[in-house]
Amino acid sequence: MMPDLKSIAILSVHTCPVAALGGKKTGGMNVYVRDLARELGRKGIKVDIFTRCESLDSPEIRRLGPNVNVIHIPSGPAGTLTPMEIFPYLPEFTANVIKYQRQHRTQYDLIHAHYWLSGLVGLKLKTVWKIPLVQTFHTLGLVKQRFLPGLTEPPTRINAEKQLVRRVDRILAFTADEADHLQNLYGASLKKITVIPPGVDIKRFRPVPVKSAKDKIGIPPKQRLVLFVGRLDPIKRVEILLSAFSVTKSAFKQIDGQMIKLTIIGGESGDENLGRLKLLAENLKISGRVKFLGQRDQKILPFYYSAAELVIIPSSYESFGLVALESMACGTPIVASKVGGLTILIADGQTGFSVPPNQTKPLAKAISLLLQNQKLRFEMGRAARRAALKYAWPKIIPRIIACYQTL
């Protein structure tokens, strides 16, 4: 009989699960960590999420739901730092986590670390607390380099990931594709890897009538919305989307005039990628038909997904693709690059279209085809919703708990 799992420490050092989405460091990982913790809490498991305190105004402890707390740990200067800027302060972060644990006399059965920075902290805590460590990488440095030519990840990160692959007790990967990368690029033992996809909150992400959705987000009834949601990281290849939309715009100029709008959710003030993409839109002469909305709270995203004709994911690589899963749960078809976890999520021609990455013309063709065919959009949207139901959290969380209990 498996032992009862009573309490878990989750590490999310570089990004807080309750931060606004769409910033440089906030995306699918934030959503996953937050929803995972909530689902564990609903199962009666106590969860403490340790994250770096970025603001002096942040409370030390913030309740996230039943049995779940987010704990802001002082480490380095206040303010937002890049992962490499955070790296020198990991010993301070680790010491303060141990201090918190001793002061509050908490006991944990297991640690689940997210991203390589958290994994390094997890290795220290695993030794001090004498409990197992589960690692989820979310992205891998060597994989990013492979799929984004010209990108060089810091050797510190690569070496850390190789160390973690050797020393953690279990690696929780999202797809078989990620497991292959861990084996082939990092030499991970297949016995150490468990593949479990992320879940989706199908109560939050559900179809909303188009008129109601458009009213909620302030879009005219006749405006047709093409949507991108995500960080504006170069690996997301939003420039390919802008180029494809400029081609699509020409095809629809005589039919719809100014009615088709490309809406981009993501990016924050001061983000150099946001400035770069706005300039590209101007150069492509489509700035009047592209709206950069910046960050949006996840509570409002279902209305954007439901109002959209389709959602575009043009990434060079995606470890899984939570935006695709959320959109599908809202009954909206996807046009996405045929990479990473998106190859599993998207049934080409049924729930959306898979297109070659980094190519403008196939992306533009798929966008045009869906915009022109209302019946196809409707059928794909229904199929997408059905496919997303397989990933509902109540179906995923027992598998994760079973993985934990084996340790």
Side-chain angles (χ1 to χ4, degrees):
M1 184 175 177
M2 291 288 187
D4 286 338
L5 192 64
K6 296 178 180 177
S7 186
I8 293 175
I10 288 180
L11 304 178
S12 180
V13 174
H14 80 294
T15 182
C16 179
V18 294
L21 301 178
K24 288 183 180 180
K25 302 187 305 176
T26 52
M29 175 177 154
N30 301 66
V31 175
Y32 179 81
V33 169
R34 185 197 64 207
D35 287 356
L36 168 65
R38 281 177 172 165
E39 293 296 328
L40 291 170
R42 290 185 182 118
K43 294 293 185 180
I45 298 169
K46 183 180 183 298
V47 182
D48 284 341
I49 306 171
F50 294 98
T51 190
R52 180 178 165 271
C53 182
E54 294 190 354
S55 170
L56 298 176
D57 296 328
S58 298
E60 180 188 32
I61 302 173
R62 176 171 171 177
R63 186 171 172 81
L64 190 59
N67 300 311
V68 182
N69 289 320
V70 176
I71 299 151
H72 295 98
I73 298 294
S75 175
T80 302
L81 301 178
T82 67
M84 285 309 300
E85 289 171 337
I86 293 171
F87 176 73
Y89 301 106
L90 292 184
E92 180 186 359
F93 184 94
T94 306
N96 283 332
V97 171
I98 294 170
K99 181 180 177 182
Y100 175 92
Q101 179 264 333
R102 287 173 177 166
Q103 286 178 340
H104 292 263
R105 298 181 180 180
T106 55
Q107 299 292 324
Y108 302 108
D109 300 312
L110 178 138
I111 303 162
H112 191 165
H114 297 267
Y115 198 61
W116 65 275
L117 289 171
S118 298
L120 293 178
V121 174
L123 288 178
K124 299 290 186 184
L125 296 178
K126 160 185 162 69
T127 302
V128 174
W129 293 341
K130 296 180 173 58
I131 58 176
L133 170 62
V134 176
Q135 175 70 30
T136 299
F137 285 101
H138 294 271
T139 63
L140 291 160
L142 290 177
V143 175
K144 287 186 73 174
Q145 288 183 166
R146 171 177 282 194
F147 288 96
L148 195 61
L151 173 71
T152 302
E153 285 291 302
T156 301
R157 173 182 183 172
I158 305 299
N159 293 333
E161 289 172 342
K162 289 179 178 179
Q163 180 187 8
L164 289 166
V165 162
R166 292 194 308 270
R167 296 183 57 194
V168 301
D169 297 287
R170 185 64 51 87
I171 301 170
L172 203 162
F174 292 148
T175 65
D177 186 52
E178 183 184 353
D180 288 342
H181 289 313
L182 285 162
Q183 283 183 277
N184 298 329
L185 298 178
Y186 290 88
S189 167
L190 185 59
K191 293 179 181 179
K192 191 178 278 191
I193 303 171
T194 299
V195 177
I196 303 175
V200 65
D201 183 346
I202 59 170
K203 292 181 180 178
R204 168 171 287 176
F205 294 99
R206 66 187 190 281
V208 177
V210 175
K211 184 180 183 304
S212 299
K214 288 183 175 180
D215 285 346
K216 180 73 175 180
I217 59 178
I219 289 180
K222 291 186 178 180
Q223 182 176 303
R224 304 179 68 186
L225 182 67
V226 176
L227 185 64
F228 168 89
V229 178
R231 293 179 298 113
L232 302 185
D233 188 286
I235 205 165
K236 300 294 184 178
R237 299 313 303 268
V238 180
E239 64 273 17
I240 298 292
L241 170 56
L242 292 173
S243 297
F245 188 70
S246 71
V247 175
T248 307
K249 179 207 72 167
S250 300
F252 285 86
K253 194 170 183 179
Q254 299 303 317
I255 300 174
D256 290 302
Q258 297 295 309
M259 297 309 291
I260 297 175
K261 288 272 188 179
L262 172 60
T263 295
I264 295 176
I265 294 178
E268 55 192 327
S269 178
D271 186 343
E272 66 276 7
N273 290 310
L274 179 58
R276 172 177 61 86
L277 293 168
K278 284 184 175 180
L279 181 60
L280 176 59
E282 290 178 12
N283 293 337
L284 291 170
K285 296 181 171 54
I286 58 171
S287 56
R289 303 185 67 186
V290 180
K291 294 179 70 174
F292 291 89
L293 294 186
Q295 296 168 289
R296 286 292 184 271
D297 190 282
Q298 209 191 20
K299 292 177 182 177
I300 200 71
L301 286 183
F303 298 99
Y304 279 98
Y305 288 134
S306 295
E309 310 269 324
L310 59 148
V311 172
I312 318 289
I313 306 173
S315 308
S316 287
Y317 184 74
E318 289 281 349
S319 59
F320 186 72
L322 271 178
V323 165
L325 186 53
E326 291 170 355
S327 174
M328 289 167 61
C330 291
T332 305
I334 307 289
V335 176
S337 300
K338 194 172 184 179
V339 295
L342 295 172
T343 61
I344 296 169
L345 278 178
I346 311 302
D348 188 32
Q350 297 177 41
T351 60
F353 288 121
S354 294
V355 297
N358 309 316
Q359 295 184 34
T360 299
K361 288 184 179 179
L363 182 59
K365 182 179 178 181
I367 294 171
S368 297
L369 181 58
L370 270 174
L371 285 174
Q372 291 179 79
N373 194 326
Q374 183 177 2
K375 182 182 178 185
L376 181 62
R377 288 199 311 277
F378 178 75
E379 290 174 351
M380 282 187 167
R382 291 185 65 183
R385 171 68 180 177
R386 289 195 300 270
L389 294 177
K390 300 173 186 175
Y391 296 91
W393 269 114
K395 296 182 179 180
I396 299 296
I397 201 66
R399 295 169 61 184
I400 295 176
I401 293 174
C403 170
Y404 288 161
Q405 288 178 319
T406 61
L407 299 172

